[in-house]
Amino acid sequence: MAEPRVIIVGAGPAGVRAAEVLVASGVRPVVIDEGRRDGGQIYRRQPEGFTRGYDSLYGTEADRALSLHETFDGLKDKIDYRPDTLVWNISQGRVWTNANGRVDDLEYDALLLCTGATDRVMPVKGWQYAGVFSLGASQVALKSQAVSIGRRVVFMGSGPLLYLVASQYVKAGANVVAVLDTAPFFARIKALPKLLAEPGVLWNGIMLTRMLQKSGVRLMTGVKPREILGDPETGVSSLQFEAGGKIHEIACDAVAMGHHLRPETQLADLARCAFRFDSVTRQWLPVVDADGRSSVDGVYLAGDGARILGARSAEASGQLAAMTLLSDMGVAASDRWALRQAVANYARFATGLAEAFPWPHEQIADLADDVVLCRCEGVTVGEMRRVDASEANRAKAFNRVGMGRCQGRYCGLAGAEVLAAARDLPIEAIGRLRGQAPVKPISVGVAEDEA
Amino acid sequence: MNGRFTRLAETDRPTVNIIVDGQPVQAMVGDTLMVAMLSSGASLRSAEFGPEKRAGFCLMGACQDCWVWTADGGRLRACSTPVENGQQISTSQPEVTWPNHG
Ligand SMILES: Cc1cc2nc3c(=O)[nH]c(=O)nc-3n(C[C@H](O)[C@H](O)[C@H](O)COP(=O)(O)OP(=O)(O)OC[C@H]3O[C@@H](n4cnc5c(N)ncnc54)[C@H](O)[C@@H]3O)c2cc1C
Ligand code: FES
């Protein structure tokens, strides 16, 4: 058989480890990433010319980061690497790319999607003001540009990344005024048995919290956000919230908000992969078997783009999916048992995290009518409640929630919660916003030329 | 206010100069356009559907809240575009008609 044409989308930990496995079996994959450099999110590389060391950039994960970067550097002349290139559509067995306005389409025999995740966010009154950023954004600012998003920064939301990024800010010398967690503390205790599936990661998390406490950062749990106050011209000035039966207000000029992550699944959707509802995270996820196969022949999924299991699992699931792909194509068979076990263990840990730091869907159902739900086009929670529809895509046709610049990435999940509560329906009955091409806006002319 | 962003490290890089809405802005080699603009200013653009100024949201190319424009009307995503010496940036979309392609 001719050498199989394999395309990997994403050069984060999942994509890099998958490419390594393929190259070891003599396959030369195309590796496409929108970023200028490899590494993906957690192992994001700083621009050339920056001098901070691995310890300062990646902390406890410095060795893993170095190993991943060195692996990829060693693979570069054995793969067809296309950085700075967006995959904006998948159709007719082809991947459609755009690199600075240059459009290309590539046929494949097998496609491995390692597209990673973006922040899951809960709307809060005033979150449209300048100075409110996603939690991931606050980390990108520090890691890849060595800046803090403000002079007085509040971290608000829930999940392990909240504490991780806050501690990275403190270490880098930024002024963190508070870390406000919507999850009650007892949720962590209840989730402990599952969190013990990864004792090392759990320990790192405990140490982070201690470090924040020692640095005098105000840490509060069981928080209910009320309002980000500010001025249309100058942006955020303070944050109001409830905790312990009292209303608090903290002066700040930046808020980083995030409730863990959501997978980037638009490409899997365009490749016609089936989805299932995951009741633990209250999200729709692409169906993937224990070996990384999607529901579509020849399409494989790995890393956080399939399911949020974290960076270590991304490496394992990338290897696993690549091995499965090779074996399905008759190129090379290998024993995948250990990797399967590892991914299953990360999944147990991830369930623990979802229970310890839950998505506060009751708080979202409770948001006031005048809260902006869609930041792109200023659509309010009230407009969503009044829409003449009970299904996400129909609602979008009326009120455009999911049709704006972010294409539903930052409003879709919260919008579904608002609609479900208003109609007294279970969240899965609302459905999910379908992925549409182009998955991100591309320069004028490109989409039309190729339509 | 001064800049929204504060620099915490990597401050001995060579500087570059750009023009934002006709005003000179100093930045550093390796900055994104967003960091260049928010290290000396409070926002990137005005919202289309509300009264407030915007300063981006995701910094990873996913939200498109950070669009600014070149002098000839080209759209740039400030969070993923590296700064270039002499760049001329407009924080509102210039009144330029797109050339019809084809
Ligand atoms: C901002 C952010 C910060 C994070 N920080 C941490 C952290 O500090 N610690 C931690 O344990 N976990 C962190 N995570 C979780 C993180 O997602 C995983 O730990 C890990 O990076 C997942 O690896 P991955 O290979 O699945 O995806 P990623 O590392 O996210 O890589 C996905 C890659 O796919 C590319 N891509 C996606 N769509 C397309 C497309 N259409 N066309 C072309 N390229 C595309 C992206 O550019 C990206 O490089 C973070 C997540 C985010 C979003
Ligand atoms: S800030 Fe989200 S795309 Fe630039």
Side-chain angles (χ1 to χ4, degrees):
Chain A
M1 157 179 186
E3 188 186 306
R5 295 164 302 177
V6 181
I7 298 179
I8 300 176
V9 185
V16 171
R17 289 300 174 204
E20 184 185 24
V21 168
L22 293 173
V23 167
S25 284
V27 175
R28 183 185 177 89
V30 180
V31 179
I32 307 172
D33 198 297
E34 199 195 348
R36 308 178 72 80
R37 304 199 70 187
D38 57 288
Q41 292 299 357
I42 170 171
Y43 304 128
R44 180 178 283 271
R45 293 174 100 154
Q46 57 187 356
E48 275 105 356
F50 282 52
T51 56
R52 289 168 298 168
Y54 273 77
D55 280 337
S56 104
L57 282 173
Y58 307 107
T60 56
E61 308 305 297
D63 291 346
R64 284 168 190 275
L66 183 62
S67 155
L68 197 83
H69 295 162
E70 286 180 348
T71 299
F72 195 73
D73 290 342
L75 288 174
K76 270 189 190 151
D77 55 359
K78 304 186 184 86
I79 62 177
D80 177 355
Y81 175 42
R82 304 189 182 195
D84 246 331
T85 302
L86 173 74
V87 175
W88 57 273
N89 196 8
I90 294 174
S91 75
Q92 303 145 23
R94 285 159 193 264
V95 159
W96 301 78
T97 64
N98 177 22
N100 287 317
R102 217 192 68 238
V103 180
D104 218 343
D105 64 277
L106 301 167
E107 279 184 281
Y108 58 83
D109 301 308
L111 175 65
L112 178 44
L113 299 175
C114 304
T115 47
T118 49
D119 294 274
R120 178 170 61 172
V121 295
M122 163 187 171
V124 173
K125 187 167 185 188
W127 71 308
Q128 67 273 24
Y129 286 133
V132 180
F133 293 95
S134 79
L135 178 60
S138 68
Q139 195 193 42
V140 174
L142 178 61
K143 246 187 213 175
S144 85
Q145 292 279 294
V147 299
S148 160
I149 56 167
R151 287 180 172 69
R152 290 177 58 83
V153 185
V154 173
F155 289 86
M156 182 167 73
S158 197
L161 263 184
L162 191 71
Y163 297 89
L164 174 65
V165 183
S167 73
Q168 290 170 335
Y169 263 58
V170 169
K171 275 194 199 134
N175 181 17
V176 177
V177 286
V179 178
L180 308 175
D181 194 329
T182 55
F185 189 76
F186 68 77
R188 269 178 240 182
I189 310 292
K190 260 176 62 184
L192 208 53
K194 288 183 185 126
L195 294 176
L196 281 166
E198 287 295 329
V201 184
L202 177 63
W203 177 251
N204 288 347
I206 294 169
M207 294 315 283
L208 285 182
T209 320
R210 294 226 347 231
M211 179 273 210
L212 285 168
Q213 265 161 347
K214 277 200 192 144
S215 318
V217 175
R218 195 160 159 192
L219 296 183
M220 296 178 86
T221 53
V223 162
K224 182 172 182 186
R226 279 171 70 93
E227 184 171 358
I228 297 168
L229 294 112
D231 174 274
E233 204 55 39
T234 55
V236 179
S237 57
S238 72
L239 173 75
Q240 243 184 38
F241 60 96
E242 289 168 34
K246 279 197 242 131
I247 295 175
H248 306 257
E249 187 167 333
I250 296 182
C252 57
D253 64 359
V255 179
M257 53 191 265
H259 278 91
H260 213 44
L261 302 165
R262 53 173 285 285
E264 278 287 303
T265 57
Q266 293 88 350
L267 292 183
D269 209 356
L270 292 169
R272 299 180 188 273
C273 296
F275 281 66
R276 68 177 175 93
F277 183 75
D278 178 53
S279 54
V280 178
T281 57
R282 297 172 74 88
Q283 299 180 23
W284 289 86
L285 304 176
V287 173
V288 51
D289 76 6
D291 285 327
R293 293 182 193 90
S294 77
S295 64
V296 175
D297 276 350
V299 179
Y300 301 81
L301 306 167
D304 274 3
R307 189 175 166 195
I308 306 298
L309 300 184
R312 296 185 185 188
S313 179
E315 291 192 47
S317 68
Q319 287 175 308
L320 180 60
M323 286 181 185
T324 307
L325 183 162
L326 288 169
S327 131
D328 288 354
M329 303 192 83
V331 178
S334 45
D335 182 8
R336 303 195 288 270
W337 186 84
L339 285 171
R340 248 181 241 143
Q341 291 303 314
V343 173
N345 205 50
Y346 291 122
R348 184 171 160 76
F349 182 71
T351 305
L353 285 180
E355 288 171 9
F357 305 101
W359 170 236
H361 60 92
E362 300 95 343
Q363 290 191 5
I364 297 166
D366 225 24
L367 288 171
D369 273 348
D370 63 348
V371 174
V372 167
L373 171 64
C374 153
R375 259 183 122 254
C376 300
E377 303 200 354
V379 185
T380 62
V381 165
E383 285 171 80
M384 182 57 113
R385 289 195 176 117
R386 291 191 299 272
V387 75
D388 185 17
S390 313
E391 191 275 329
N393 296 284
R394 273 194 65 74
K396 164 174 147 179
F398 287 117
N399 64 17
R400 295 189 54 85
V401 170
M403 221 183 263
R405 292 178 175 211
C406 82
Q407 295 169 273
R409 287 180 174 83
Y410 296 103
C411 56
L413 293 170
E417 296 289 357
V418 168
L419 196 53
R423 299 289 178 280
D424 203 13
L425 287 170
I427 181 72
E428 56 270 36
I430 303 301
R432 62 188 182 88
L433 288 172
R434 282 187 296 270
Q436 274 175 341
V439 299
K440 286 183 187 179
I442 47 183
S443 39
V444 181
V446 174
E448 294 169 27
D449 285 349
E450 300 302 320
Chain B
M1 90 191 263
N2 300 324
R4 174 166 298 290
F5 287 174
T6 53
R7 296 188 188 274
L8 299 171
E10 308 282 357
T11 48
D12 46 7
R13 285 173 282 149
T15 56
V16 292
N17 295 291
I18 61 172
I19 310 278
V20 178
D21 293 337
Q23 300 297 315
V25 168
Q26 199 176 61
M28 288 177 175
V29 173
D31 278 357
T32 60
L33 203 45
M34 182 177 195
V35 166
M37 291 172 70
L38 294 183
S39 294
S40 54
S43 64
L44 298 173
R45 65 171 186 110
S46 301
E48 302 130 292
F49 295 89
E52 76 282 351
K53 287 277 171 42
R54 290 294 176 91
F57 184 68
C58 75
L59 270 73
M60 59 184 94
C63 75
Q64 321 302 332
D65 193 40
C66 64
W67 289 351
V68 294
W69 288 268
T70 58
D72 58 1
R75 191 180 75 204
L76 295 176
R77 197 165 68 188
C79 73
S80 57
T81 306
V83 76
E84 276 170 38
N85 201 26
Q87 230 164 5
Q88 299 215 17
I89 299 297
S90 169
T91 62
S92 52
Q93 185 162 16
E95 298 285 325
V96 180
T97 45
W98 288 97
N100 278 329
H101 57 88

